[in-house]
Amino acid sequence: KQEVTQIPAALSVPEGENLVLNCSFTDSAIYNLQWFRQDPGKGLTSLLLIQSSQREQTSGRLNASLDKSSGRSTLYIAASQPGDSATYLCAVPDYKLSFGAGTTVTVRA
Amino acid sequence: ETGVTQSPTHLIKTRGQQVTLRCSSQSGHNTVSWYQQALGQGPQFIFQYYREEENGRGNFPPRFSGLQFPNYSSELNVNALELDDSALYLCASSRENQGADTQYFGPGTRLTVL
């Protein structure tokens, strides 16, 4: 059974700092890994999807890395802004998505 | 292209009642998955429907049941509601019956059980 863990559970940084969010998974036989953003009480917005053959994926200020052998992915958000405040979830699929509990980010103006 | 929609947005029920939540999948998507997200936790997989058949189920009791219709829309039914059923229920659709594809999530239905 795939177990997904996210550390830290919460993070508060001043505006402009870079954010580093960690995700670990127990079963390295994955097709891909996704990072999602969730605003309070809302649905999920897909940010990045990294295929198992990739090591990195970038979208604007977001960069996600994947190391299958160590069962880890990291989401980097450069030059954080107050609008980046949200919960960030990673998920690993087989026929379903297995989610971590998320990291709640607060960017202080 | 219409995204995934869910109804209702919010719902309040009392313990023991039954509830039906609805999801319309994105155009061209034939797979629908349902997730339960309790406060402060990540979404937990309930079940998935692919071309109107259940195609996998998480660790949820039989009082959680579902349907998928020929137009690929879906319902989640919960009988004998319990207080712990209070959660955000998310629906996600995808093109293929494979985990490698990107799932698109709806905005969710917030269920409160009193």
Side-chain angles (χ1 to χ4, degrees):
Chain A
K1 179 187 172 186
Q2 182 73 268
E3 300 285 345
V4 181
T5 304
Q6 290 188 248
I7 295 173
L11 193 56
S12 178
V13 299
E15 183 176 4
E17 272 201 14
N18 297 330
L19 290 164
V20 180
L21 309 179
N22 297 301
C23 172
S24 61
F25 47 94
T26 54
D27 185 351
S28 61
I30 62 171
Y31 296 111
N32 58 48
L33 183 143
Q34 278 186 270
W35 284 92
F36 292 89
R37 171 184 170 136
Q38 186 174 34
D39 292 298
K42 304 295 185 182
L44 305 180
T45 301
S46 180
L47 297 173
L48 289 168
L49 183 147
I50 315 177
Q51 298 292 349
S52 60
S53 58
Q54 296 178 299
R55 294 192 66 84
E56 283 192 11
Q57 183 72 264
T58 298
S59 176
R61 293 185 294 111
L62 306 180
N63 174 276
S65 66
L66 176 63
D67 184 342
K68 277 183 57 177
S69 60
S70 66
R72 294 182 181 181
S73 178
T74 303
L75 178 66
Y76 302 91
I77 304 177
S80 62
Q81 303 169 0
D84 295 329
S85 298
T87 296
Y88 293 83
L89 297 148
C90 67
V92 174
D94 37 58
Y95 66 94
K96 62 176 175 63
L97 287 172
S98 296
F99 285 88
T103 296
T104 299
V105 170
T106 302
V107 180
R108 308 186 304 271
Chain B
E1 184 178 79
T2 305
V4 179
T5 60
Q6 292 186 242
S7 64
T9 305
H10 296 89
L11 203 50
I12 299 175
K13 292 285 189 178
T14 57
R15 205 167 37 173
Q17 285 188 311
Q18 179 266 343
V19 68
T20 297
L21 310 181
R22 295 179 175 83
C23 171
S24 291
S25 59
Q26 185 160 318
S27 177
H29 287 189
N30 56 18
T31 302
V32 173
S33 301
W34 286 92
Y35 294 83
Q36 180 197 65
Q37 186 178 22
L39 198 61
Q41 299 181 21
Q44 298 295 313
F45 175 73
I46 302 174
F47 43 55
Q48 182 183 86
Y49 279 83
Y50 171 61
R51 295 189 175 182
E52 303 178 58
E53 297 287 333
E54 186 177 292
N55 182 47
R57 188 180 183 91
N59 189 26
F60 281 82
R63 60 189 184 84
F64 286 78
S65 63
L67 285 172
Q68 187 178 31
F69 299 100
N71 66 355
Y72 303 127
S73 66
S74 179
E75 288 183 353
L76 164 65
N77 299 290
V78 187
N79 295 321
L81 284 167
E82 301 177 358
L83 297 179
D84 285 349
D85 296 333
S86 295
L88 181 68
Y89 287 85
L90 296 165
C91 163
S93 74
S94 58
R95 288 191 302 272
E96 299 293 336
N97 182 28
Q98 294 177 11
D101 198 9
T102 301
Q103 294 191 357
Y104 291 82
F105 281 81
T109 294
R110 171 70 63 185
L111 173 64
T112 302
V113 182
L114 303 176

